[in-house]
Amino acid sequence: AVFVALLALAAAAPRADKPASAELINDDRSQEGASYSTHVEIDNGIVISESADEDGVQGTYVFTAPNGETVEMRLVANENGAVFESPSGHLPVAPLPVQAIHPIPEHALEAIEFAAQQRAAGVEWDEQGFVIED
């Protein structure tokens, strides 16, 4: 819903090369209890299809970027979180992991091993790093 609001604001922004208004081509909406379905098409290329039920929300959002490219975004949100995808390739992609340029110091490896041994022995720490005594 937040994405739809931002998309509507972006679509409503005046552009020198585009007409100041857009015409609604299709507006199909339905709701029954907590479930809903929305399908909106505007003559400037914006298409919003979203539905939700007790299992979550699914949506597809299409619009034209200022450079003329068609942008497609897909959303799936449920009890496991939200996932956005862009079949058109308009979402940033995380960089590949960087290879360390220096080896991990021996004293750090020893501290990591010591902490692992303590965890295996049932030792717990508070948020300040102090051992929690029983």
Side-chain angles (χ1 to χ4, degrees), residues 95-104:
L96 296 174
V98 177
Q99 191 73 297
I101 59 172
H102 299 288
I104 300 173

Side-chain angles (χ1 to χ4, degrees), residues 4-18:
V4 173
L6 291 173
L7 182 61
L9 286 173
R15 296 185 198 165
D17 61 334
K18 298 288 181 184

Side-chain angles (χ1 to χ4, degrees), residues 102-117 119:
H102 299 288
I104 300 173
E106 188 62 33
H107 71 277
L109 293 172
E110 291 170 1
I112 292 168
E113 177 59 30
F114 179 68
Q117 290 171 0
R119 261 189 224 99

Side-chain angles (χ1 to χ4, degrees), residues 25 30 105-106:
I25 296 172
S30 63
E106 188 62 33

